[in-house]
Amino acid sequence: MRYGLLLFDEPKRDTSRKIIHIDMDAFYASVEVRENPSLAGKPVIIARHPKETGGRGVVATASYEARTYGIHSAMSAQKAYELCPNGVFIRPNFELYRETSKQMHNIFRRYTDKIQPLSLDEAYLDVSTNYIEQKSATIIAQAIRRDVEKELRLTCSAGVSYNKFLSKIASDFDKPNGITVIPPEKSHEFLMALPIEKFHGVGAKSVEKMHSLNIYTGQDLYKKDELDLVSHFGKMGHSLYRKVRGIDDSEVKNDREPKSIGKESTFSEDLKTENDVIKALRILSQKVMHNLKRKQKHGKIVVLKIRYENFDTITRRRSFPDYIKGEEELFQIALSIWEEETSALGVRLLGITVTGLESVIFETIPLPLWEKKATERKPDRDENQTRTDH
Ligand SMILES: [Mg+2]
């Protein structure tokens, strides 16, 4: 029995964490309506018009008005057209959605840096500890919803609970523009009443299989023993057995957005002349700038690390009012830090890091409506960014 060992674990419920799941409402469609208010109230379908594509193409998102015609994401654009010939088809502008998603994440980062995006418009946030020292995750979720609405003019739904599974289900419960809280003492009742289709991770095929096993609700699932579930659903059976008991210990995995990009070199022979140091700093600046460009990041803080032949190590940071623009500028900064801090030679290691990073795209995409606001918000973002560095 492959899962035999796990079965001996008496599952325990950890209710100590505070997890929020945020899900934007009809995200792409809402962004388009925001950009073009004359679309408000119309059935907006994010897909190229089937007449343009010869019937190919798939609906990325449908506004709530379009959904009343039975249109949903992943439906063929042709089918959507047949259901609603007067629908407004809009070719997706992913650059704009990505940009808006970044602004969303900048809001999240005011509260926590434990953020796991699931897609452009959805993320888990672990706010067990948070920057505003707020004990109530519900208050934080409401604050985020307010920030998003005020600054991005978009609505989102939030789910609040003590694990990812429950918070994800909760955010879907009162959509759009709603919040659902599942506290530990309510989770059992909530799960027992939940239709099996609503269990996150149970796909259409598994739902069919569940129904054939007479499982229609959480209550039905709860009654099945673990071995039984594992024999029918493999690994998923094991996790469902736990989930229906309100157990999901999976971590909120931090997003992979780098907070700093750096490069260091240990030299096979200690650097003995100023010229050697200059050469090394040039190469490091080049490499760091190359990586920053590749990741479309830039920052205003430069950290220089120096290790001497006796293994003494110092790191020095400098903050600047503007983003460091190119390798020459980075090199000059690194060199001046080195000159100011020490002229000692016998250098064993050098490292250059640019930190407090932000996406270049955030600064360069012209968004006339939001530009001013974005600039006004800058001190907040920088403050949080610095916090996450320490
Ligand atoms: Mg969504």
Side-chain angles (χ1 to χ4, degrees), residues 118-351:
L118 292 179
S119 61
L120 285 182
D121 78 318
E122 264 183 68
Y124 292 113
L125 283 69
D126 186 332
V127 297
S128 309
T129 61
N130 55 75
Y131 294 144
I132 62 167
E133 290 174 29
Q134 171 56 254
K135 285 202 173 73
S136 161
T138 307
I139 288 178
I140 294 178
Q142 289 294 42
I144 289 172
R145 275 162 34 76
R146 247 192 334 266
D147 290 355
V148 166
E149 184 151 18
K150 217 173 117 202
E151 294 169 36
L152 307 184
R153 305 229 185 126
L154 295 168
T155 63
C156 61
S157 301
V160 181
S161 195
Y162 60 86
N163 67 35
K164 280 160 67 173
F165 173 68
L166 286 167
S167 69
K168 167 100 179 157
I169 290 172
S171 74
D172 195 43
F173 200 73
D174 185 21
K175 223 173 164 19
N177 201 8
I179 178 168
T180 301
V181 182
I182 308 178
E185 66 274 15
K186 291 276 171 63
S187 69
H188 184 69
E189 190 189 338
F190 190 94
L191 286 166
M192 291 308 99
L194 201 67
I196 200 69
E197 295 86 338
K198 295 273 179 187
F199 272 71
H200 177 53
V202 179
K205 267 206 175 135
S206 301
V207 166
E208 242 174 70
K209 204 165 165 187
M210 292 272 178
H211 287 175
S212 77
L213 295 166
N214 264 323
I215 303 173
Y216 293 90
T217 64
Q219 177 88 67
D220 301 333
L221 183 64
Y222 188 82
K223 285 186 203 147
K224 297 281 174 188
D225 70 45
E226 189 171 9
L227 265 171
D228 219 20
L229 290 176
V230 169
S231 74
H232 285 108
F233 299 99
K235 207 172 173 179
M236 189 177 86
H238 169 68
S239 94
L240 280 173
Y241 180 83
R242 296 168 64 86
K243 282 174 175 169
V244 77
R245 282 162 179 74
I247 299 166
D248 171 21
D249 293 330
S250 62
E251 292 278 320
V252 172
K253 291 183 207 83
N254 272 317
D255 52 9
R256 272 174 242 125
E257 293 278 294
K259 290 175 184 75
S260 62
I261 286 178
K263 180 86 194 156
E264 56 181 54
S265 292
T266 305
F267 307 107
S268 50
E269 274 178 51
D270 297 341
L271 307 181
K272 299 285 189 195
T273 69
E274 194 176 342
N275 230 0
D276 290 343
V277 172
I278 287 173
K279 248 190 243 165
L281 289 178
R282 267 204 190 283
I283 293 168
L284 286 170
S285 307
Q286 229 170 44
K287 286 182 174 162
V288 171
M289 209 28 92
H290 176 79
N291 284 339
L292 281 166
K293 284 197 176 130
R294 203 162 49 91
K295 298 236 159 98
Q296 295 201 304
K297 299 282 168 190
H298 57 185
K300 300 174 181 176
I301 303 166
V302 177
V303 182
L304 181 69
K305 178 171 167 187
I306 309 169
R307 179 170 296 148
Y308 295 102
E309 48 197 349
N310 63 358
F311 283 90
D312 275 358
T313 306
I314 63 163
T315 58
R316 293 288 180 267
R317 65 165 56 205
R318 295 275 186 282
S319 299
F320 299 89
D322 292 313
Y323 296 104
I324 316 303
K325 277 179 201 67
E327 61 180 74
E328 181 60 28
E329 188 181 351
L330 182 58
F331 162 71
Q332 292 296 345
I333 290 167
L335 182 63
S336 70
I337 300 175
W338 182 73
E339 281 170 346
E340 281 164 38
E341 291 300 330
T342 174
S343 45
L345 289 163
V347 174
R348 187 185 165 77
L349 172 151
L350 284 171

Side-chain angles (χ1 to χ4, degrees), residues 23-27 121-122 175:
D23 186 8
M24 301 299 287
D25 301 324
F27 183 51
D121 78 318
E122 264 183 68
K175 223 173 164 19

Side-chain angles (χ1 to χ4, degrees), residues 77-85 89:
Q78 179 61 35
K79 178 85 189 287
Y81 177 68
E82 285 160 17
L83 289 170
C84 181
F89 284 80

